[in-house]
């Protein structure tokens, strides 16, 4: 191949590459082939730094893209990656953001010739393939926007012309067994599909808006879910404390966090961990997201009076050993759960609070007596979810010294980010893991609860007793190269 004699690199750390040279090779092509354009030589050849200069496929791709002969210079892979990160910088991020919607629309193109059934099926199939948790059909003045929530973040996928919006909505309603004529009030329904041999349940929610009905499909891909307590991302020291609490014969273990923080996944992991043939585990959920063999699961239904509180009263007459209550939404449910724990049952449940200590004040604010709270709860865990860096495009992140100091990152610690590639849809992330704050209820904390101490005081004592908070969990994931500074800043506010 002419013009491809390979030389060894010396040092390019102080090299300045003009933007017009960088733009010759898009950052995702540069990363996927471990190649960095350096300069255009007087002869017209493009000088490039390459980790694999003898890889014929990489050479052909880059030469085809640039339309010129190349002068490859060999360099170690880690050096090439470091220099790609350094020189593309914001340009790489900009290219990734510009590339992502084009890439996704190439996979999900709307065609006027496609039938409504084909369009809806294509959208759902692509969402399942990408591992999306939700599909948003959002009508606006001139079009309908389709967005997928992947790894907790919404991504624009395609638009549908205004004249096709009504038929798309009607098709989804028919699939969900909803009233297609009713457009003035919200409706809820269900869809069950089989995708590549997997059974996928979908919850449908409709709501009227100014420009039509917004529809959200929640995808419950049961066959592709991992409900293993050892794989949720909890640090070993915390996991040991957590496992000890969920194996107690009685008491309440609470999980807290905002909607979408993975609380239900953790609860399912607990049940899979503790279930045995000789114990009766029963759940009350809204909705049942995953059927666990050997576990009695009940779904609430407000229309028939099967609320959390009513179902829990009934369940206590069913001889349970362990009870999972999807959420403590009101005083009645909390009081019944506490009574169950004090009469020899282990109760697992969730609350919507920002951290573990706040769950205590939340229960007291509901009207629960402090002595009941202190005597029943054995452990509270708060959690968040952060995206994991894509392993295929993982590279070193250059963090300014002032930010390192602000977050308490030791000197010399290398942190990472994802540049964005075809494997992760040019987001730089693939999959999620948990951040956890685990607070056992010690004698000191029980005393604080009984005298109605503020959550800040409870937190202060818990930290002195060795509780590792969400911030420390986030920094641990950052140092271990699992997630990025961007993610932990978004979810755990590590930078004040």
């Amino acid at each position: 191949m002419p013009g491809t004699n390979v030389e060894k690199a010396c040092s390019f750390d102080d090299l300045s590459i003009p933007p017009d040279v960088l733009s010759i090779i898009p950052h995702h092509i540069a990363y996927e082939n471990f190649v960095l354009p350096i300069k255009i030589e007087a002869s017209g050849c493009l000088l490039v730094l390459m980790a694999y200069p003898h890889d014929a496929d990489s050479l052909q791709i880059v030469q085809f893209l640039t339309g010129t002969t190349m002068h490859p210079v060999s360099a170690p892979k880690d050096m090439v990656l470091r220099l790609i990160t350094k020189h593309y910088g914001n340009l790489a991020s900009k290219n990734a953001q510009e590339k992502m919607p084009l890439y996704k629309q190439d996979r999900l193109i709307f065609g006027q010739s496609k039938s409504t059934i084909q369009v809806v099926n294509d959208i759902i199939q692509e969402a399942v393939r990408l591992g999306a948790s939700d599909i948003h059909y959002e009508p606006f003045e001139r079009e309908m926007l389709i967005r997928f929530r992947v790894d907790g973040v919404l991504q624009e996928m395609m638009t549908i012309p205004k004249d096709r919006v009504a038929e798309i909505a009607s098709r989804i309603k028919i699939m969900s067994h909803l009233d297609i004529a009713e457009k003035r009030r919200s409706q809820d329904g269900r869809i069950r599909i089989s995708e590549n041999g997997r059974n996928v349940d979908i919850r449908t929610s409709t709501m009227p808006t100014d420009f039509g009905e917004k529809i959200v499909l929640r995808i419950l891909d049961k066959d592709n879910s991992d409900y293993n307590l050892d794989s949720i991302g909890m640090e070993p020291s915390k996991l040991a404390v957590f496992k000890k609490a969920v194996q107690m014969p009685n008491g309440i273990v609470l999980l807290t966090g905002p909607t979408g923080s993975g609380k239900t996944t953790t609860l399912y992991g607990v049940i899979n961990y503790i279930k045995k043939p000789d114990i009766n585990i029963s759940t009350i959920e809204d909705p049942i997201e995953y059927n666990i063999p050997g576990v009695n699961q009940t779904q609430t239904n407000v229309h028939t009076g099967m609320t959390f509180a009513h179902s829990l009263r009934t369940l206590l007459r069913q001889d349970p050993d362990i009870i999972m209550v999807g959420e403590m939404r009101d005083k009645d449910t909390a009081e019944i759960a506490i009574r169950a724990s004090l009469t020899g049952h282990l109760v697992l449940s969730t609350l919507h609070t920002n951290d573990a200590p706040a769950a205590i004040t939340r229960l007291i604010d509901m009207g629960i007596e402090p002595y009941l709270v202190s005597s029943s709860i054995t452990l509270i865990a708060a959690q968040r979810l952060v995206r994991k860096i894509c392993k295929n495009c993982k590279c070193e992140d250059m963090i300014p010294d002032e930010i390192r100091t602000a977050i308490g990152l030791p000197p010399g610690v290398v942190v990472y980010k994802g540049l964005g590639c075809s494997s992760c849809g040019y987001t730089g992330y693939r999959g999620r893991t948990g951040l956890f704050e685990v607070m056992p209820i010690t004698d000191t904390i029980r005393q604080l609860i009984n005298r109605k101490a503020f959550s800040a005081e409870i937190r202060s004592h818990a930290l002195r007793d060795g509780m590792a908070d969400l911030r420390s969990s986030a920094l641990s994931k950052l140092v271990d190269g699992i997630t990025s500074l961007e993610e932990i800043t978004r979810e755990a506010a590590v930078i004040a």
Side-chain angles (χ1 to χ4, degrees):
M1 194 173 290
T4 58
N5 292 326
V6 180
E7 297 178 8
K8 288 286 185 181
C10 298
S11 174
F12 286 92
D13 288 335
D14 298 324
L15 186 69
S16 176
I17 305 175
D20 58 333
V21 173
L22 281 176
S23 65
I24 294 174
I25 301 178
H27 96 280
H28 63 283
I29 297 294
Y31 179 80
E32 289 174 2
N33 294 277
F34 305 107
V35 56
L36 178 69
I38 301 297
K39 68 176 181 178
I40 299 174
E41 298 179 316
S43 63
C45 286
L46 178 66
L47 181 67
V48 293
L49 198 65
M50 298 189 72
Y52 304 111
H54 299 291
D55 184 344
D57 289 339
S58 293
L59 288 169
Q60 287 176 355
I61 289 170
V62 177
Q63 282 200 300
F64 176 79
L65 186 69
T66 60
T68 185
T69 55
M70 292 189 305
H71 180 179
V73 177
S74 176
K77 178 180 173 182
D78 58 347
M79 176 191 287
V80 176
L81 286 176
R82 187 179 75 250
L83 292 174
I84 287 174
T85 304
K86 174 182 176 181
H87 290 287
Y88 276 89
N90 293 330
L91 178 64
S93 299
K94 182 175 182 292
N95 285 347
Q97 292 168 0
E98 292 173 350
K99 180 69 180 175
M100 182 174 65
L102 292 173
Y103 172 78
K104 289 189 176 298
Q105 287 181 19
D106 285 343
R107 294 182 299 176
L108 198 55
I109 298 174
F110 176 82
Q112 284 286 1
S113 61
K114 280 189 176 183
S115 69
T116 302
I117 293 175
Q118 284 178 309
V119 172
V120 173
N121 287 349
D122 285 352
I123 292 171
I124 293 175
Q125 287 170 2
E126 182 68 357
V128 172
R129 193 182 75 80
L130 289 175
S133 61
D134 302 87
I135 307 172
H136 289 240
Y137 297 80
E138 301 172 306
F140 295 103
E141 187 173 4
R142 295 183 177 85
E143 62 191 9
M144 174 180 271
L145 176 64
I146 308 298
R147 296 196 291 172
F148 291 175
R149 188 177 294 280
V150 181
D151 292 334
V153 177
L154 281 171
Q155 302 174 9
E156 293 185 9
M157 299 300 297
M158 67 183 295
T159 56
I160 294 175
K162 183 70 174 177
D163 60 354
R164 298 289 298 273
V165 170
E167 59 193 69
I168 295 291
S170 294
R171 172 58 187 166
I172 296 172
K173 286 183 172 182
I174 290 170
M175 295 173 69
S176 308
H177 306 288
L178 300 178
D179 183 355
I180 64 171
E182 181 55 74
K183 300 178 181 179
R184 296 174 298 176
R185 65 180 179 87
S186 60
Q187 298 185 73
D188 296 316
R190 279 183 172 273
I191 303 171
R192 169 165 282 196
I193 64 170
S194 180
E195 181 66 24
N196 294 327
R198 305 201 312 265
N199 291 322
V200 179
D201 282 346
I202 300 173
R203 295 206 316 265
T204 306
S205 173
T206 72
M207 176 174 284
T209 71
D210 278 353
F211 301 108
E213 291 178 282
K214 176 180 177 180
I215 302 174
V216 176
L217 304 185
R218 167 61 59 89
I219 301 171
L220 306 173
D221 189 356
K222 301 176 181 180
D223 293 343
N224 200 35
S225 300
D226 183 12
Y227 297 112
N228 184 336
L229 197 56
D230 292 315
S231 63
I232 59 175
M234 191 178 289
E235 293 86 348
S237 59
K238 295 178 183 177
L239 188 58
V241 174
F242 190 75
K243 284 182 174 180
K244 181 179 178 180
V246 300
Q247 293 181 93
M248 299 289 286
N250 61 328
I252 296 177
V253 174
L254 280 178
L255 290 172
T256 74
T259 300
S261 59
K263 299 186 297 295
T264 301
T265 299
T266 301
L267 283 180
Y268 282 154
V270 170
I271 290 174
N272 277 327
Y273 174 69
I274 62 178
K275 69 173 183 176
K276 297 176 184 177
D278 58 345
I279 59 175
N280 177 12
I281 302 178
S282 298
T283 75
I284 304 167
E285 305 173 58
D286 181 24
I288 297 170
E289 295 189 8
Y290 169 65
N291 296 116
I292 307 174
V295 176
N296 305 289
Q297 295 173 266
T298 300
Q299 181 162 317
T300 61
N301 188 332
V302 176
H303 300 297
T304 62
M306 290 289 287
T307 61
F308 275 113
H310 176 82
S311 301
L312 187 50
R313 286 191 187 95
T314 304
L315 185 58
L316 289 174
R317 297 192 289 269
Q318 294 282 312
D319 187 31
D321 296 301
I322 297 170
I323 301 168
M324 185 192 104
V325 182
E327 183 183 345
M328 288 192 184
R329 293 181 178 175
D330 51 50
K331 180 182 178 181
D332 283 349
T333 305
E335 283 184 338
I336 299 166
I338 287 172
R339 188 168 71 244
S341 72
L342 295 175
T343 54
H345 303 88
L346 175 65
V347 178
L348 311 170
S349 192
T350 72
L351 271 177
H352 289 286
T353 62
N354 288 328
D355 57 24
I360 293 169
T361 52
R362 174 87 170 94
L363 288 171
I364 294 173
D365 288 344
M366 279 184 185
I368 307 300
E369 291 293 335
Y371 76 91
L372 290 175
V373 175
S374 65
S375 59
S376 60
I377 298 179
T378 56
L379 180 141
I380 304 173
Q383 71 177 86
R384 299 289 190 278
L385 288 177
V386 292
R387 292 180 292 175
K388 295 192 291 187
I389 298 170
C390 172
K391 294 180 180 178
N392 192 55
C393 61
K394 182 177 180 179
C395 65
E396 184 177 341
D397 192 6
M398 305 301 176
I399 299 178
D401 290 340
E402 59 269 22
I403 294 181
R404 284 178 170 269
T405 301
I407 65 177
L409 200 63
V413 173
V414 178
V415 297
Y416 299 89
K417 67 178 181 180
L419 271 180
C421 65
S422 57
S423 294
C424 60
Y426 298 95
T427 64
Y429 300 98
R430 190 173 181 86
R432 289 191 288 177
T433 189
L435 305 179
F436 294 91
E437 175 178 276
V438 176
M439 186 180 80
I441 305 302
T442 62
D443 289 339
T444 301
I445 292 177
R446 286 193 175 90
Q447 292 171 12
L448 293 171
I449 295 171
N450 287 333
R451 65 177 178 85
K452 295 186 178 180
F454 291 117
S455 61
E457 186 179 357
I458 294 172
R459 163 171 285 277
S460 177
H461 279 273
L463 289 171
R464 283 203 294 269
D465 288 344
M467 180 184 79
D469 60 6
L470 286 167
R471 187 179 187 277
S472 64
S473 180
L475 289 174
S476 174
K477 294 288 194 302
L478 176 67
V479 171
D480 289 343
I482 296 170
T483 192
S484 68
L485 177 63
E486 174 192 34
E487 278 296 286
I488 65 171
T489 301
R490 180 172 64 89
E491 287 295 336
V494 294
I495 301 178

